Amino acid sequence: MKCRHCSTELIDTFVDLGFSPPSNAYLRREDLIRPETYYPLRVMVCRSCWLVQTEDYAHHEQLFDTEYAYFSSTSSTWLAHAASYVDMIVKRLGLDGNSKVVELAANDGYLLQYMQQRGIPNLGIEPTRSTADAARAKGISVVEEFFGVRLALMLLARDGAADLMIANNVLAHVPDINDFLGGIAALLAPEGSVTIEFPHLLNLMKFSQFDTIYHEHFSYLALGSVETMMRAQGLRVYDVEALSTHGGSLRVYACRQEAKFAMAAAVEKMRAQEHDFGLQDIHTYRGFQIKAETIKTDLLHFLVQQKRAGKKVMAYGAAAKGNTLLNYSGVHADLLTLVADAAASKQSKYMPGSHIPIVSPQELIAEKPDYVVILPWNLKDEVEAQLSCIREWGGQFVIAVPEMRIW
């Protein structure tokens, strides 16, 4: 396999999580008697540009089909994050009714609704029918296609250049990352800005967040690799922020190479942090496999122990990261009887691979579990508040990543 960005032959494995179905390929009852498609989940490191990336087996149209079940608005934490961002960026860039905003992977309109409320013209790009329809229901204009240079040039001719482009948690999902960034460069106004948010590879490694690896994530990103890829498209990063979202993310601000934005001191500081951690040293990537195996073993030990003790163990959050953890660990409904999720689109379905049934939070509460395993550990505070009633019968919460914790 060659690197998706620079075409260097890849020879170094970061982590091998075996085989699993796509993490968002939720099953209906009638699907349970049909075979599932499993793909290798192996991640490689490029020694030239340091892009960390999955082996290329699953095509993106198989991963993001019309049944794609992730709706951003399900999380109140994420909605608050989006509202705060819009408030900040409108002030920082002086956006108004004459500005043009384009969001790539607009999902269900979770963010553009706040632009809409301020009267700022906006457009969402969202290839998935289910979430695109939800955005349209909010009055947001959506182009239902995958983004790249071809679509960017069409939009440029039709609507003109964008003053702000937004790409939250999508760059990692792009199979042709050069085409995607090239599209941004084509559509961005001469003095426009693009902000891109992504889980930070440094945190993934530091806190053993291997469950954030799944087929829908083609790349695992750091400031260094993003800057390298952007430079190739005539873009440059002029600011960066560390965020708490998704277990630790970066928000990079970028513009055209010739734009007048001054370089913020935070960029050099983050470059130094990544260098000191060793993200440009192949030896740093060795040993991560053992961390993943330790988490897997500890989770299985806990579940088997509770099974033998006759305890009820259930989970909350039918998230992609949960599917990676459960499939890699070999957990099925005999050890984890159900998973609750607030998203109606996932309820009455089954987790891919593990076939654990997905129910509403109310159904989980009615079962009075002894333990609730929070699979989306990045939302543990939100989930704990929502399910605080389990304390009434002595129920406890559990997370497995970065290590087993029971409270």
Side-chain angles (χ1 to χ4, degrees), residues 262-274:
M263 181 73 72
V267 177
E268 187 54 47
K269 183 177 179 182
M270 185 57 68
R271 287 173 183 162
Q273 185 177 338
E274 291 188 352

Side-chain angles (χ1 to χ4, degrees), residues 249-301:
S249 298
L250 293 186
R251 175 190 290 151
V252 300
Y253 297 73
C255 60
R256 293 180 177 276
Q257 286 283 7
E258 66 275 11
K260 297 175 183 177
F261 292 95
M263 181 73 72
V267 177
E268 187 54 47
K269 183 177 179 182
M270 185 57 68
R271 287 173 183 162
Q273 185 177 338
E274 291 188 352
H275 179 271
D276 292 346
F277 186 80
L279 290 187
Q280 289 83 41
D281 183 347
I282 197 62
H283 295 91
T284 306
Y285 296 88
R286 293 171 181 158
F288 191 77
Q289 183 77 41
I290 296 173
K291 294 181 179 180
E293 291 171 1
T294 298
I295 290 171
K296 166 183 177 176
T297 303
D298 289 349
L299 174 62
L300 284 171
H301 176 75

Side-chain angles (χ1 to χ4, degrees), residues 77-78 81 169 197-200 242-250 378:
T77 300
W78 190 242
H81 174 75
N169 299 303
E197 293 183 20
F198 51 85
H200 195 187
L243 307 172
S244 62
T245 53
H246 296 285
S249 298
L250 293 186
N378 54 303

Side-chain angles (χ1 to χ4, degrees), residues 59-60 175 284-285 288 341 348 372 402:
H59 194 273
H60 62 277
T284 306
Y285 296 88
F288 191 77
D341 199 281
S348 300
V372 173

Side-chain angles (χ1 to χ4, degrees), residues 50-265:
W50 299 106
L51 181 62
V52 176
Q53 55 204 284
T54 55
E55 280 189 308
D56 198 2
Y57 284 94
H59 194 273
H60 62 277
E61 289 178 356
Q62 295 172 288
L63 301 177
F64 304 105
D65 61 16
T66 57
E67 297 297 319
Y68 189 65
Y70 180 76
F71 288 76
S72 296
S73 295
T74 302
S75 170
S76 59
T77 300
W78 190 242
L79 284 177
H81 174 75
S84 175
Y85 165 83
V86 170
D87 185 54
M88 176 278 297
I89 203 70
V90 166
K91 294 174 183 174
R92 178 167 180 166
L93 299 182
L95 301 176
D96 57 25
N98 296 313
S99 305
K100 293 178 182 175
V101 175
V102 176
E103 184 181 13
L104 311 178
N107 200 266
D108 59 5
Y110 74 102
L111 186 148
L112 289 182
Q113 63 184 331
Y114 301 116
M115 290 289 182
Q116 200 96 316
Q117 291 168 12
R118 287 167 170 77
I120 298 172
N122 61 83
L123 174 69
I125 311 298
E126 175 50 60
T128 306
R129 173 66 55 84
S130 54
T131 51
D133 285 345
R136 292 188 185 104
K138 296 180 173 76
I140 295 164
S141 180
V142 179
V143 173
E144 199 173 308
E145 291 187 41
F146 287 98
F147 183 76
V149 172
R150 183 198 60 79
L151 179 58
L153 292 174
M154 185 274 285
L155 294 174
L156 181 66
R158 189 188 77 177
D159 303 328
D163 300 295
L164 171 65
M165 298 183 71
I166 305 164
N168 287 345
N169 299 303
V170 60
L171 190 59
H173 292 76
V174 176
D176 190 342
I177 204 162
N178 292 333
D179 183 54
F180 186 85
L181 292 172
I184 290 175
L187 188 54
L188 195 63
E191 291 297 326
S193 287
V194 56
T195 66
I196 301 178
E197 293 183 20
F198 51 85
H200 195 187
L201 174 64
L202 188 152
N203 286 299
L204 185 157
M205 298 177 69
K206 187 176 181 179
F207 299 110
S208 306
Q209 297 167 351
F210 78 91
D211 58 340
T212 60
I213 294 171
Y214 38 95
H215 298 106
E216 293 90 335
H217 278 175
F218 292 91
S219 303
Y220 301 86
L221 303 162
L223 175 62
S225 57
V226 169
E227 282 198 288
T228 297
M229 293 185 291
M230 281 190 162
R231 277 195 296 270
Q233 302 298 334
L235 300 169
R236 67 176 174 89
V237 173
Y238 68 84
D239 201 0
V240 62
E241 296 175 40
L243 307 172
S244 62
T245 53
H246 296 285
S249 298
L250 293 186
R251 175 190 290 151
V252 300
Y253 297 73
C255 60
R256 293 180 177 276
Q257 286 283 7
E258 66 275 11
K260 297 175 183 177
F261 292 95
M263 181 73 72

